[in-house]
Amino acid sequence: MPDCTVVVITYNDAARLPRAVRSVLGQSLRDLEVIISDDASTDGTPEVAARLVAADPRVRYLRRRHNSGGCGAPRNDGMDAATTPYVMFLDSDDELPRHACKSLLTEIERTGADFVSGQISRLYERTGRLQPYYPWLFARRRVVEGIREEPALFLDSFTTNKLYDLSRLRAARLRFPEDVHYEDHVFAAGLYALSRRFAVVPWTVYHWHRAPTNESISLSIDDLDNVRQRVTAARMSDDALRRHGAGDLVPHRQRRFLRQDLRVYLNPLPSRDLVWTKEFASIVRPYLEEIPGDALDEMAPLDRVCCRLILDDRIEDLRIAAGSLTGPRAAPRSAVQHDGRTYWGTTVSPGMDITRLRLAELPYAASRLRHEATALSTDGERVRMTVRSYDPFGKLPLEWKAFLQLGGKRVPITPRPSGDGGYVSEVVFTPTGKCDPRIGFTRTSDGHTTTDRIIVDPRTEPIELPGRTVKAEGRAAYLCVRPVAGPRPVWQRVKRRLLKRYSTPRNKLRAYKVLIRVLPRRGDLALFESDVGKGYSGSPRAVHEELRRRGLPIEVVWSEAKGRGGFPQGVRRVRRGSWRYVWTMARAGIWVDSHGFPLDYPKPRGTRYLQTWHGQGIKSIGFDAPDLRGDFDRPRARWRAAVARWDALVSPSAEFSRVFLPSNGYTGKVYRCGTPRCDALVRGEGARDVRERLEIPPGRKILLYAPTYRDRAKGSGRSVRADLELMADELAGEWVVVLRTHPVERYRVPEHLLHFVRTAGSYPEINDLMPASDALLTDYSSVMCDYALTGKPMLFFIDDWDDYRLSERGVYHDLLAIAPGPCVTTTEDLVAALRDLPARHAACAERYAAFRELWCADEHGDAAARIVADFFEGAH
């Protein structure tokens, strides 16, 4: 007997059926059978199935005489015909990953569970991208002792991502209903009610194909009968729970309807007409009236507002509110603030409470206005429109200037009061390039600006102009300008092909090696680079400013990575990696850098290279770091050659020299006179407008949160490990968090936390943030060594300390033994430490002094001056 049966249901899908069956026959679990369960197809499915049966004896074919109109009947047929201990279900337009059956079979036999559920992922056929569905549900491998232990798993009501113990399904007489769509919801409700224990695995076991022309039941949401079927399935699911003695779970299953099923129809609602929307509301309303109030209260604020509007039969308001669920999440037209609470619309009602979004508490630069465009027209070159602007949270000051932003261009506009608290603008503009037009208001008192995209009717006809189209885009229908692809001139096509063929990294390196042999070096030309071109910052900036102060006759060119900015006026720049960059590297007699110029580029003869490095601390570096400590000769040889280019190295401390020099194999000249970028900290200097630029309210203390990245999760945002939401709930009245993630990280602060968290990842210089802050929160970042110069409190959030030191990065010091402040592993402990910060800081005074002596003893505030005097003036 085979170990597993996979039932492949199909109807008029002859073209894709072979792909689905092949995904089963190609499983790493070979001992299985495939049952094709055909719901009376009228296309070539029988012939295709016959060929599949003939090609592999593991395939069987069942065919119904009459079409059942749903998926329940063919699934039941396949389940009845199965002869194996375990069964899975597969739709003919989807696929199983290669190890799905074997991994699930291993898990169900290991755990003795009634069924095993794994991650289902949407596969977008146009791009090949996989997107996990509710990944947090499958984040960890576990055995669940019944659904009451984790009722949130009602969100996983899929049939196809599970392996079932067939004998238990038959003993429980659990079958799919055959008279309704979304039968898997009903089946899942019974399954959860009857299962004593089940397992969950974190890997993907099902590829749910999303084709551009997919016409599956779950995507046929334009049909109002689809809405009726889903509501019917919801009621049947509730009845199944009650029938099996699990009536107490009905509210939890209804939360699934509110969170998932209802949102399927709410998201595209702005594009529906009023008749469709009204009929939709009339179908859904009776079921919503059955759901307990506490289930509605637990919904996200705007989802709850939509439910309230459905219940109150406010159809036009419903379409407006639904437009805020997706995309840029537009602000409402109006809002009411009462007793510290904020309500959507014009009346105070518990169901309309949106306080949790914190929209009324955002700083001005992040505040939300609403702009709606009407009467779009064109004269053939320009676009004319009327824009109504709403200020629902009363954020606009008495004096402001308004503009239309088109990419990097601003067109002044003159909004007029509309009489209802809003403004009306007649806007005329010439579309250029590709952009999403925005309306902005600049506060004249301090220059802070807030901008929002422009909402249009989803049914607005596109305006075709030479080379571009102005149209509505997205479910929330925002105005956009898009270029029209047309034939390019011959010379442009030739240029593009030549650049693509010859302007490659390999050819640039070849050209560079030729240039350094034939071009003379310019002793008065210096190429500066900070953080691989990410900005004008760090020690290279301090050295450059000292050069300018002394007026030395050295021409400085800065390397600038693509898409970066923040360089002051008058600084000459060259884009990193460009041909001009290659030319400058070959000609410059001086290189100054904080991280590393391209590794494979040898230093020209006669060029002098000052390496300032970018930090010191407890983390392993060089050949001890994860990317080089492996026994792989090529990357280690590349780094060894790169280090050999250095003529001088800035060493902030004796401890840095003790660790850094041997771990990188450096034997050249060392400047032991402190760090140029820290000179300002020693002198107590820094930007004086930090609080104003970041809109820190008076009386609030600043907590600078600067975590480092994790080597195994660069760009994932996982370095932000403290619970910012909990911190906001506990500390928002006293503190503001200034979040400065590592440059390689990607983390977006949720909008509802922007009243408490200020994003400073792109702030030009972190050393400007340190003097302005009242305390530092970090983990293993080298920022701790610089911050010690301020003498201010430090806290360390190290919930992954064992993993970080043993298997992630590795460390040279036991942070718990030397930390100059409290080390915490939970956000609750962090909050407690901040509330008792003066006493905690005083208790660490002795360790703080020792920490500062270890890392900062050589910092005297004159590092840049001493280095410039020796490396530049002396040589010059």
Side-chain angles (χ1 to χ4, degrees):
M1 187 196 313
D3 290 318
C4 174
T5 298
V6 178
V7 177
V8 182
I9 65 168
T10 187
Y11 174 68
N12 283 354
D13 198 19
R16 292 180 293 196
L17 177 61
R19 181 184 68 187
V21 172
R22 283 195 299 267
S23 77
V24 182
L25 298 177
Q27 288 287 299
S28 54
L29 177 68
R30 303 294 297 167
D31 197 11
L32 50 72
E33 69 171 356
V34 180
I35 295 178
I36 301 173
S37 187
D38 181 4
D39 199 12
S41 295
T42 58
D43 65 352
T45 295
E47 292 76 15
V48 171
R51 289 195 293 270
L52 292 169
V53 170
D56 197 307
R58 294 176 295 171
V59 181
R60 288 195 283 152
Y61 177 55
L62 306 177
R63 175 176 169 82
R64 295 182 67 84
R65 291 186 177 181
H66 305 286
N67 179 256
S68 68
C71 299
R75 283 189 177 135
N76 286 334
D77 292 345
M79 188 163 52
D80 291 341
T83 59
T84 62
Y86 304 103
V87 65
M88 287 188 71
F89 299 98
L90 172 64
D91 294 346
S92 60
D93 55 344
D94 299 330
E95 290 180 279
L96 295 182
R98 174 168 165 71
H99 301 293
C101 293
K102 187 172 185 177
S103 63
L104 292 177
L105 177 65
T106 301
E107 193 72 2
I108 201 168
E109 290 181 338
R110 183 184 72 84
T111 61
D114 296 342
F115 67 91
V116 182
S117 183
Q119 176 73 66
I120 187 170
S121 291
R122 287 173 286 198
L123 194 159
Y124 292 90
E125 294 183 354
R126 182 176 293 168
T127 62
R129 181 171 63 95
L130 273 176
Q131 182 180 33
Y133 210 65
Y134 288 117
W136 57 272
L137 281 179
F138 304 93
R140 57 189 179 88
R141 186 177 183 178
R142 62 200 187 275
V143 175
V144 182
E145 302 296 336
I147 188 64
R148 286 181 178 82
E149 187 175 287
E150 287 192 51
L153 283 166
F154 274 118
L155 285 169
D156 175 23
S157 289
F158 302 101
T159 298
T160 50
N161 63 331
K162 298 174 177 63
L163 178 76
Y164 306 88
D165 184 323
L166 186 55
S167 64
R168 290 176 180 169
L169 292 183
R170 288 172 174 168
R173 297 182 180 179
L174 190 59
R175 300 177 65 77
F176 292 91
E178 300 183 4
D179 54 351
V180 66
H181 293 163
Y182 302 105
E183 73 296 325
D184 49 347
H185 296 185
V186 185
F187 180 85
L191 179 72
Y192 282 128
L194 294 171
S195 297
R196 55 183 178 82
R197 67 198 311 256
F198 55 92
V200 178
V201 296
W203 53 83
T204 297
V205 300
Y206 194 86
H207 287 167
W208 180 15
H209 277 253
R210 302 297 293 268
T213 58
N214 199 328
E215 297 180 357
S216 67
I217 292 171
S218 61
L219 298 179
S220 303
I221 59 175
D222 295 339
D223 186 356
L224 284 169
D225 189 58
N226 186 280
V227 184
R228 295 185 184 94
Q229 292 279 346
R230 199 182 289 256
V231 172
T232 299
R235 282 205 171 93
M236 292 177 66
S237 300
D238 297 345
D239 291 341
L241 290 174
R242 298 185 185 103
R243 188 169 59 252
H244 294 301
D248 59 304
L249 293 171
V250 169
H252 294 288
R253 208 222 62 81
Q254 290 173 334
R255 289 185 181 94
R256 180 238 147 77
F257 177 86
L258 296 172
R259 181 169 183 173
Q260 170 61 33
D261 300 333
L262 188 61
R263 275 296 293 268
V264 169
Y265 305 103
L266 290 177
N267 288 341
L269 208 58
S271 61
R272 310 291 191 198
D273 58 43
L274 285 176
V275 174
W276 195 99
T277 306
K278 192 170 185 65
E279 180 66 15
F280 159 75
S282 69
I283 296 170
V284 172
R285 187 179 303 115
Y287 185 64
L288 289 183
E289 291 172 343
E290 299 172 13
I291 298 177
D294 57 348
L296 293 173
D297 293 340
E298 293 177 11
M299 298 177 68
L302 282 172
D303 295 68
R304 186 177 61 248
V305 166
C306 288
C307 287
R308 188 70 261 166
L309 294 172
I310 291 173
L311 291 168
D312 293 344
D313 198 24
R314 294 166 58 183
I315 304 306
E316 180 57 39
D317 287 342
L318 174 61
R319 293 175 65 218
I320 294 171
S324 298
L325 293 173
T326 60
R329 299 179 183 273
R333 287 178 176 174
S334 57
V336 178
Q337 297 178 56
H338 179 70
D339 286 344
R341 311 294 299 179
T342 305
Y343 300 89
W344 193 96
T346 58
T347 58
V348 175
S349 170
M352 311 299 282
D353 192 324
I354 59 171
T355 307
R356 278 168 49 197
L357 298 178
R358 303 291 182 182
L359 292 172
E361 303 168 48
L362 296 177
Y364 183 76
S367 61
R368 303 301 308 280
L369 306 182
R370 182 183 181 95
H371 311 290
E372 299 179 6
T374 58
L376 270 73
S377 60
T378 179
D379 58 9
E381 294 183 358
R382 299 179 301 170
V383 174
R384 181 183 299 275
M385 63 183 175
T386 301
V387 179
R388 296 182 63 87
S389 298
Y390 301 86
D391 180 19
F393 307 107
K395 288 293 185 177
L396 286 180
L398 294 177
E399 296 183 359
W400 42 259
K401 294 180 180 178
F403 58 88
L404 171 72
Q405 183 168 313
L406 299 167
K409 179 183 177 182
R410 290 184 173 183
V411 179
I413 61 174
T414 308
R416 307 183 315 274
S418 62
D420 56 0
Y423 298 88
V424 176
S425 310
E426 298 298 329
V427 180
V428 179
F429 67 98
T430 302
T432 57
K434 176 182 178 180
C435 66
D436 299 320
R438 308 173 75 94
I439 299 291
F441 284 81
T442 298
R443 192 163 59 188
T444 55
S445 61
D446 55 19
H448 284 299
T449 295
T450 183
T451 66
D452 278 282
R453 292 180 66 181
I454 302 171
I455 302 169
V456 293
D457 190 307
R459 290 155 293 186
T460 299
E461 290 294 326
I463 296 176
E464 303 292 342
L465 297 171
R468 60 195 58 85
T469 300
V470 181
K471 61 179 182 178
E473 186 173 86
R475 286 172 166 172
Y478 286 85
L479 190 69
C480 67
V481 178
R482 298 291 180 260
V484 176
R488 296 188 177 190
V490 174
W491 68 269
Q492 283 190 359
R493 296 200 300 271
V494 172
K495 178 182 177 182
R496 185 180 181 88
R497 288 172 185 168
L498 289 174
L499 286 175
K500 186 176 181 180
R501 181 172 181 178
Y502 295 109
S503 188
T504 64
R506 170 181 272 186
N507 285 338
K508 287 177 181 177
L509 180 58
R510 287 173 176 170
Y512 172 81
K513 289 180 177 179
V514 173
L515 289 173
I516 62 177
R517 288 199 297 267
V518 300
L519 288 177
R521 239 55 62 213
R522 279 185 52 189
D524 63 344
L525 176 63
L527 178 61
F528 274 59
E529 185 172 286
S530 180
D531 195 7
V532 291
K534 288 188 174 69
Y536 181 72
S537 61
S539 289
R541 170 186 172 179
V543 171
H544 181 209
E545 290 175 348
E546 180 66 19
L547 283 174
R548 296 172 71 175
R549 190 184 68 79
R550 295 184 179 223
L552 294 183
I554 296 175
E555 181 183 353
V556 174
V557 178
W558 273 82
S559 162
E560 179 184 27
K562 185 178 181 180
R564 297 289 176 165
F567 288 81
Q569 289 287 340
V571 172
R572 184 180 164 193
R573 290 164 288 169
V574 60
R575 187 166 68 81
R576 193 176 199 268
S578 66
W579 282 108
R580 189 175 295 276
Y581 177 80
V582 172
W583 173 269
T584 306
M585 283 189 74
R587 288 280 279 152
I590 301 170
W591 289 359
V592 180
D593 167 64
S594 67
H595 284 68
F597 285 109
L599 297 182
D600 292 328
Y601 281 62
K603 186 184 64 174
R605 182 178 298 175
T607 294
R608 296 182 302 120
Y609 186 170
L610 172 64
Q611 174 57 256
T612 67
W613 206 241
H614 51 275
Q616 58 175 334
I618 68 169
K619 299 188 295 185
S620 66
I621 49 178
F623 296 114
D624 298 332
D627 52 346
L628 290 177
R629 63 179 172 231
D631 190 18
F632 298 103
D633 291 339
R634 179 171 172 77
R636 293 170 69 87
R638 288 180 74 210
W639 181 242
R640 192 174 288 110
V643 171
R645 299 178 300 179
W646 304 348
D647 293 288
L649 170 69
V650 175
S651 172
S653 66
E655 181 63 16
F656 177 87
S657 294
R658 182 186 73 82
V659 172
F660 187 90
L661 302 189
S663 65
N664 286 273
Y666 178 72
T667 57
K669 183 174 184 176
V670 176
Y671 285 117
R672 276 279 310 280
C673 54
T675 315
R677 72 168 182 276
C678 290
D679 289 345
L681 288 176
V682 175
R683 297 194 295 262
E685 301 171 356
R688 303 185 184 281
D689 61 346
V690 170
R691 295 187 70 96
E692 181 180 324
R693 287 180 65 177
L694 295 177
E695 297 186 77
I696 308 295
R700 302 280 177 86
K701 291 181 285 188
I702 298 176
L703 178 64
L704 175 58
Y705 183 16
T708 192
Y709 65 90
R710 302 305 188 264
D711 289 81
R712 294 198 297 253
K714 290 181 181 178
S716 67
R718 295 181 196 168
S719 64
V720 182
R721 305 182 69 86
D723 186 341
L724 297 177
E725 189 139 4
L726 176 59
M727 292 176 67
D729 291 341
E730 298 290 335
L731 303 168
E734 184 180 358
W735 290 86
V736 169
V737 169
V738 173
L739 179 62
R740 171 69 179 229
T741 55
H742 192 278
V744 305
E745 267 292 29
R746 293 179 183 174
Y747 179 80
R748 186 182 183 91
V749 178
E751 186 179 58
H752 69 279
L753 293 178
L754 291 177
H755 71 291
F756 173 68
V757 181
R758 302 292 188 270
T759 303
S762 59
Y763 203 87
E765 185 63 79
I766 189 172
N767 281 22
D768 290 341
L769 302 174
M770 296 185 197
S773 67
D774 295 282
L776 171 72
L777 172 63
T778 187
D779 42 24
Y780 320 109
S781 172
S782 62
V783 70
M784 66 177 79
C785 300
D786 295 351
Y787 199 83
L789 289 166
T790 69
K792 297 177 183 179
M794 286 190 265
L795 304 100
F796 301 85
F797 194 88
I798 54 171
D799 63 324
D800 62 340
W801 167 244
D802 286 337
D803 181 60
Y804 190 85
R805 68 188 178 91
L806 296 175
S807 62
E808 170 75 29
R809 180 63 181 257
V811 296
Y812 296 114
H813 292 269
D814 182 357
L815 182 59
L816 294 170
I818 69 169
C823 293
V824 297
T825 58
T826 68
T827 305
E828 290 81 1
D829 289 343
L830 172 61
V831 169
L834 284 168
R835 286 176 171 161
D836 191 32
L837 192 57
R840 301 283 186 101
H841 182 50
C844 295
E846 189 173 328
R847 283 204 298 182
Y848 203 118
F851 187 89
R852 183 165 174 162
E853 179 65 24
L854 179 66
W855 303 108
C856 308
D858 293 338
E859 301 286 0
H860 303 294
D862 60 353
R866 295 173 64 180
I867 290 169
V868 168
D870 185 82
F871 190 85
F872 293 89
E873 272 187 336
H876 184 70

